[in-house]
Amino acid sequence: MLSYTEVDRVLDANRNRCIEGLRVVEDYLRFVQNDSVNASKIRNVRHEISEIFDLNIIISRNVSSDVGKNNFSSSYTELNQVLKANLSRIKESLRVLEEFLRYKDIVISNRLRVIRFKFYEIERELLFDKKFEKIYILADLSLVKDENDLLEGLKILLDNKVSLIQLRAKKLSTRKIYELGLKIAELLPQLKLIINDKVEVALALKSYGVHVGEDELPFHVVRSL
């Protein structure tokens, strides 16, 4: 039969693992993705976990006898692996905390169960959004009746998870493209806007990027602007 000291060691390790993982995810969202909304959600979960545990469990900590202290992690090859790895770390530690607290304090265990399912929703939202980062919406003026028709069609993106749109309007003047791009940016401020061909328009609108063809400026020149 496990003693409370042994259980407290498990709780201490997984409380730390959970809070550390939450802090990593929070900072990833805050500094890498500039996502204040989800960073705030993660911060709230971190505060909830911090408030649950009595810091007296630290007394049970015994790093010198921890048989897993020399298990080193492998390196990441992509930055988004930081997010995914720590989301998994949080989820796993929440489950461990919940299970061991069923032995020691069922009330807190049930409270952690609620937090765990709340976190599942946050995780789903974060990973779901990532799937849509590479979806590329091409808004081609030649395929619709006029500019108003194009803007009406783009309104469906207001409640969508699409994050990138390219404006193509080859028959419009530079000024008209600028004005249309401005309207799109105002209509869909959450989207990253790419302008087709017109580097000066992309710069004027402070767009996310510009698509250049074979007859335009070389891409390495455009990147230097």
Side-chain angles (χ1 to χ4, degrees):
M1 185 174 182
L2 287 176
S3 70
Y4 276 178
T5 299
E6 291 167 325
V7 172
D8 282 348
R9 286 188 68 193
V10 176
L11 298 179
D12 178 51
N14 281 278
R15 172 192 174 277
N16 291 341
R17 185 178 295 122
C18 184
I19 289 176
E20 289 163 4
L22 286 163
R23 171 59 84 175
V24 172
V25 171
E26 180 184 338
D27 283 356
Y28 183 95
L29 295 171
R30 178 183 173 188
F31 297 112
V32 177
Q33 295 192 333
N34 296 314
D35 185 349
S36 61
V37 174
N38 283 311
S40 179
K41 291 179 183 178
I42 292 293
R43 182 166 57 254
N44 290 339
V45 174
R46 180 167 57 82
H47 288 167
E48 279 190 86
I49 298 296
S50 298
E51 292 168 0
I52 284 178
F53 290 96
D54 186 340
L55 290 180
N56 286 332
I57 61 173
I58 293 176
I59 296 172
S60 65
R61 189 178 300 170
N62 189 346
V63 178
S64 61
S65 65
D66 185 349
V67 296
K69 66 181 179 181
N70 293 320
N71 294 337
F72 297 104
S73 303
S74 58
S75 61
Y76 296 125
T77 57
E78 296 180 4
L79 187 57
N80 67 355
Q81 290 176 323
V82 175
L83 175 65
K84 292 178 180 178
N86 280 278
L87 287 173
S88 293
R89 185 170 293 121
I90 296 162
K91 186 168 52 179
E92 291 164 3
S93 59
L94 282 172
R95 187 62 190 232
V96 173
L97 289 168
E98 180 187 334
E99 289 297 317
F100 275 85
L101 277 164
R102 290 173 65 183
Y103 173 76
K104 184 177 180 180
D105 191 324
I106 191 62
V107 174
I108 297 179
S109 176
N110 287 334
R111 184 177 172 187
L112 280 165
R113 184 175 187 274
V114 173
I115 294 174
R116 179 165 58 86
F117 278 96
K118 182 194 300 183
F119 178 75
Y120 285 164
E121 285 298 310
I122 298 173
E123 180 191 37
R124 184 201 64 80
E125 183 177 345
L126 293 176
L127 295 181
F128 181 74
D129 284 347
K130 302 300 163 290
K131 294 177 183 178
F132 285 86
E133 281 187 346
K134 296 182 180 179
I135 286 188
Y136 198 99
I137 298 297
L138 179 60
D140 192 335
L141 191 59
S142 68
L143 300 178
V144 294
K145 184 172 61 176
D146 54 28
E147 295 175 30
N148 290 331
D149 196 31
L150 179 69
L151 292 171
E152 282 298 315
L154 290 177
K155 285 181 180 178
I156 64 171
L157 301 180
L158 285 170
D159 297 320
N160 206 293
K161 296 293 185 180
V162 174
S163 61
L164 193 67
I165 182 170
Q166 177 185 336
L167 173 61
R168 177 189 286 169
K170 290 185 175 293
K171 294 184 179 181
L172 289 187
S173 66
T174 299
R175 178 164 182 165
K176 287 290 186 181
I177 293 173
Y178 169 78
E179 292 173 350
L180 180 56
L182 198 59
K183 290 177 182 178
I184 293 173
E186 291 173 350
L187 178 66
L188 301 164
Q190 78 277 19
L191 291 187
K192 296 172 181 176
L193 179 62
I194 292 178
I195 300 297
N196 203 75
D197 297 336
K198 301 293 185 179
V199 177
E200 65 271 42
V201 173
L203 290 172
L205 291 172
K206 297 181 180 179
S207 298
Y208 180 72
V210 60
H211 179 277
V212 291
E214 293 181 357
D215 297 328
E216 310 301 328
L217 287 171
F219 74 89
H220 64 275
V221 174
V222 174
R223 283 183 173 178
S224 68
L225 296 176

